[in-house]
Amino acid sequence: MQSQDVAPRPASAGSGGPVVDVEQAEAALVEHYPRLVRLAYLVLPPSPNRGRRVLSAHALAQRALPRGRTAAPVIPAQSTGDRDGDPGYAYVRLRVVRTALEAGLPLRRRAWPKRAQLPPLLPQVWGLRMFPRSGGADELALDQRLAALSAPARAVYALRGLERLADDDVREVLADAGVEEPEAALAEADGVPAQYALLDSPEFDPCALQVRPTDLMRRRQHLKAAVAAGAALLVCGALLGLPGDGWGPDGAAAPAYAQNPAAQAALDPARLVKVSPAAWKSATRTDFTVWPARGELTGDSDLLRRALAVWARPGESVQVSATPGTATGGPAGPPQLLYAGVVDNARVVVLYDGLRLARYAEPKDGQAGAALDLARLDGATATEATAVVLNRTDGNVRYLTAPWVTAAAELDLVRPGSGAMALTVTDGITSPMSSPATRTGDCTSWNVLKLTTADGTRIASDLGELVPARLTTGHPGEAHDASGAEALRTWSPYACSMAAVQGQGVRTVNAWSFAEQQLPESGGTASWVCTRAETWRGGGERVLAQFHTPGGAYGAVAAKGENVPACGARDPQVLAGVLWKSGAGSWYLLAAGGRDTASIATTGGVEASAEGNLLSVRTEQGAQAGLEGTLEDGRTIEALH
């Protein structure tokens, strides 16, 4: 496909558009920086690697400021949002598009390269590789289609989908950016399906990044070589014969990339552990270690070899993601094969090394755009090793279920009374169901996975990771699966709050209804619920104290905390407060604690106290007050903030 020439035309203060000051352009750049960087990322060419592309996108956005007063193009900023008619945003957007197009031009002999064609001087990151989070098969396919387009055609697709511009406005932007044949660019972009919703995916977000080290062995070798060369120059080879047991702290360790038996076994598809389909029925433990190998490609040695090699040594083009606290190195020995087969438009391999799950995915019609996802799952039990995410696409998710799961269904947790919809399960693979992890916009539903086993029913939610989080209800230390009608009603107003813990390596989320409070002026009965997300790594717990009034669709977050014992089994206590406005317009400070709270007192701008675990005092709008609680054993607790 031939690229189109771009001849940038700088705007000037006399070009007829609105005059833009540096301050106005800077305000637009700061406010809409993530969108401008995403736009640059989409227009930039895909090579040489995603890390370079990320840094270049940030560099182009940061260099979009004018040096003085200048004229903005008379083009609408975009069709929605508070950027409408903002000449500052229109100007910096044009600068981003123009320089991104310049970056895609080939270098020519006897011609000085443009600044955008050179590697960015700033920002720079040393010793790390950065790339956006991996998406599903649809995002990978779209990225490949965009990579095959010319730079102006990619700009057309991004302006249509990301900026929601009409074709007439797109032509004007391209003309101002110096594209000589805008019509050809529009026609070329028409060849790519209009999957504009995918442009909001993390796949194309260079501001939400995954970080991995560069080639550590090569870097260490280069460092050692440099140190050795410097030492040789200084002491003329005096260190060639050091006494002692070895040359350094590595002792008798093998050289880098040595072909030792353990490393070879870990990468040999013939050595993969494949469990018998009936092993789980007689095993003393019921977890991932007794899952059988399923899928139609479990005998594809080439596919399995690629999956193992990418896990051990992911290349620059591989999209790698790992949940917080998950080690990213390869397996220490032959891992267990859980699945190998075709799912939607991808070949998928799922492996387990006793501590982590690894999911390798590549397009069904090629190997370019492979992805590797890792998740820490040490200590998983039968209640948590019930399902694994195989793929997400078109807002849906497919699961591979445990062999002891007898039925699966989809349930809207916001409206549990609407009933569950049965999912078809074939060889452990569910039919697609809606995933809240891929939602954009307002939360009006939260679909969860309902699994039936011989021991009971489990409810789990997709939070954007390899394994869905188990949902429970009850007093900390006495929590149980949120499977009954009362438990589902408890969860209903607070389901959407789980969006705050997506991608955090969440193991379980418990909803504890710790108090009910009669509202003043006959306002009915309000509920206080504490949701606590526990993680696989044992740290980073997130706690939300939420307040739900009668008739309200959703709970309101009254207080929150991270890495705190509140609402947990170790210290099942909580204290939170909220300002509430009655139907008559009066304001009240309401507070509640757990059942072991003996009294509550306020500090600061409001003076009040109450015996028991509830407090209600009339106050003014915007009142500032602290809370202190006393437990029945005499201990003092402070409120979550």
Side-chain angles (χ1 to χ4, degrees):
M1 186 171 296
Q2 297 180 349
S3 63
Q4 303 174 37
D5 292 334
V6 179
R9 303 180 307 183
S12 64
S15 61
V19 176
V20 177
D21 291 326
V22 176
E23 292 80 6
Q24 186 177 2
E26 181 183 19
L29 176 62
V30 171
E31 182 178 359
H32 307 299
Y33 182 79
R35 177 171 289 269
L36 291 167
V37 177
R38 190 188 291 255
L39 177 62
Y41 183 83
L42 289 168
V43 179
L44 282 169
S47 59
N49 58 64
R50 302 178 78 216
R52 163 84 172 273
R53 187 178 169 194
V54 165
L55 293 178
S56 296
H58 283 272
L60 297 183
Q62 293 171 17
R63 294 205 301 262
L65 283 179
R67 296 184 181 277
R69 291 167 62 86
T70 187
V74 187
I75 302 172
Q78 49 270 319
S79 61
T80 60
D82 57 3
R83 294 159 294 198
D84 282 337
D86 181 0
Y89 179 79
Y91 175 80
V92 294
R93 180 183 64 191
L94 176 60
R95 291 265 296 183
V96 167
V97 173
R98 178 185 298 150
T99 53
L101 292 173
E102 291 175 353
L105 294 175
L107 294 173
R108 297 179 179 179
R109 293 183 178 180
R110 300 185 182 89
W112 192 257
K114 298 180 181 296
R115 185 180 181 186
Q117 294 175 275
L118 300 174
L121 296 177
L122 291 174
Q124 283 288 352
V125 177
W126 298 95
L128 291 174
R129 292 187 290 123
M130 302 189 305
F131 36 83
R133 298 177 65 88
S134 59
D138 288 346
E139 288 84 350
L140 291 177
L142 177 59
D143 193 33
Q144 292 174 356
R145 294 190 183 101
L146 294 179
L149 297 178
S150 65
R154 285 196 300 272
V156 170
Y157 197 91
L159 292 171
R160 284 173 171 173
L162 195 63
E163 294 294 295
R164 305 293 193 267
L165 292 185
D167 282 359
D168 289 342
D169 296 329
V170 172
R171 291 186 186 92
E172 197 166 349
V173 172
L174 294 183
D176 282 341
V179 176
E180 295 182 352
E181 299 180 3
E183 291 296 340
L186 267 73
E188 184 182 350
D190 289 339
V192 178
Q195 298 173 296
Y196 297 138
L198 297 180
L199 297 183
D200 292 324
S201 165
E203 171 82 19
F204 305 109
D205 186 1
C207 292
L209 302 173
Q210 295 289 326
V211 178
R212 284 183 61 80
T214 55
D215 192 326
L216 298 178
M217 290 299 182
R218 182 176 300 173
R219 194 169 73 190
R220 181 179 296 176
Q221 289 174 341
H222 289 173
L223 179 60
K224 287 182 177 180
V227 172
L233 290 174
L234 290 174
V235 300
C236 300
L239 299 181
L240 290 177
L242 286 177
D245 294 331
W247 285 83
D250 289 341
Y257 294 105
Q259 297 297 315
N260 61 76
Q264 289 179 319
L267 300 179
D268 185 358
R271 302 286 294 274
L272 284 171
V273 177
K274 297 180 181 179
V275 176
S276 166
W280 66 273
K281 297 179 180 179
S282 58
T284 56
R285 53 188 294 181
T286 311
D287 54 21
F288 289 112
T289 60
V290 294
W291 276 38
R294 287 172 284 183
E296 69 273 25
L297 299 180
T298 54
D300 189 336
S301 297
D302 292 338
L303 172 64
L304 299 178
R305 181 176 288 106
R306 289 196 297 273
L308 290 167
V310 168
W311 187 0
R313 304 184 309 276
E316 292 283 347
S317 63
V318 178
Q319 304 170 46
V320 182
S321 70
T323 56
T326 301
T328 55
Q336 177 184 347
L337 178 62
L338 302 187
Y339 180 83
V342 176
V343 184
D344 298 321
N345 294 319
R347 289 189 291 263
V348 178
V349 178
V350 180
L351 302 165
Y352 178 62
D353 69 352
L355 297 176
R356 300 167 297 168
L357 272 182
R359 181 185 63 187
Y360 170 81
E362 63 182 26
K364 186 169 59 175
D365 54 357
Q367 300 174 22
L372 176 68
D373 301 294
L374 299 166
R376 176 177 176 175
L377 299 170
D378 46 314
T381 63
T383 59
E384 296 149 342
T386 53
V388 172
V389 172
L390 282 183
N391 193 31
R392 297 184 185 90
T393 182
D394 293 332
N396 295 322
V397 59
R398 285 184 187 268
Y399 293 98
L400 177 67
T401 61
W404 52 87
V405 170
T406 57
E410 178 180 4
L411 175 70
D412 184 359
L413 195 56
V414 174
R415 301 173 185 83
S418 60
M421 181 176 65
L423 298 173
T424 302
V425 181
T426 305
D427 194 23
I429 303 174
T430 68
S431 54
M433 61 169 282
S434 176
S435 169
T438 60
R439 174 189 293 108
T440 58
D442 295 336
C443 178
T444 57
S445 63
W446 194 277
N447 288 33
V448 294
L449 179 65
K450 181 179 181 181
L451 298 173
T452 302
T453 69
D455 297 331
T457 302
R458 319 273 183 236
I459 301 294
S461 176
D462 182 13
L463 297 182
E465 302 168 9
L466 283 183
V467 174
R470 178 191 177 198
L471 304 186
T472 61
T473 57
H475 189 276
E478 305 170 4
H480 52 82
D481 285 289
S483 55
E486 182 179 352
L488 294 174
R489 285 193 297 270
T490 298
W491 256 113
S492 175
Y494 314 104
C496 292
S497 67
M498 283 189 284
V501 295
Q502 288 185 346
Q504 299 302 312
V506 176
R507 182 173 189 167
T508 62
V509 188
N510 183 57
W512 171 35
S513 180
F514 65 90
E516 291 189 345
Q517 186 170 23
Q518 293 296 320
L519 296 176
E521 302 181 14
S522 301
T525 303
S527 299
W528 289 89
V529 167
C530 187
T531 58
R532 179 181 175 92
E534 302 282 356
T535 66
W536 289 98
R537 63 188 182 277
E541 301 85 1
R542 297 196 178 188
V543 176
L544 297 178
Q546 304 190 59
F547 180 73
H548 181 233
T549 56
Y554 307 104
V557 176
K560 56 186 176 181
E562 186 172 353
N563 292 315
V564 295
C567 304
R570 176 172 294 183
D571 189 16
Q573 308 298 336
V574 63
L575 178 62
V578 68
L579 286 176
W580 175 77
K581 184 180 180 180
S582 70
S586 301
W587 287 89
Y588 291 85
L589 171 62
L590 306 178
R595 62 192 182 191
D596 296 333
T597 304
S599 63
I600 301 175
T602 63
T603 61
V606 180
E607 295 185 2
S609 62
E611 296 295 320
N613 67 332
L614 301 173
L615 179 143
S616 174
V617 57
R618 189 163 181 171
T619 185
E620 302 293 334
Q621 181 180 3
Q624 300 289 326
L627 292 173
E628 289 184 353
T630 302
L631 302 179
E632 292 180 351
D633 61 6
R635 284 193 299 138
T636 300
I637 60 172
E638 295 184 355
L640 289 172
H641 300 289

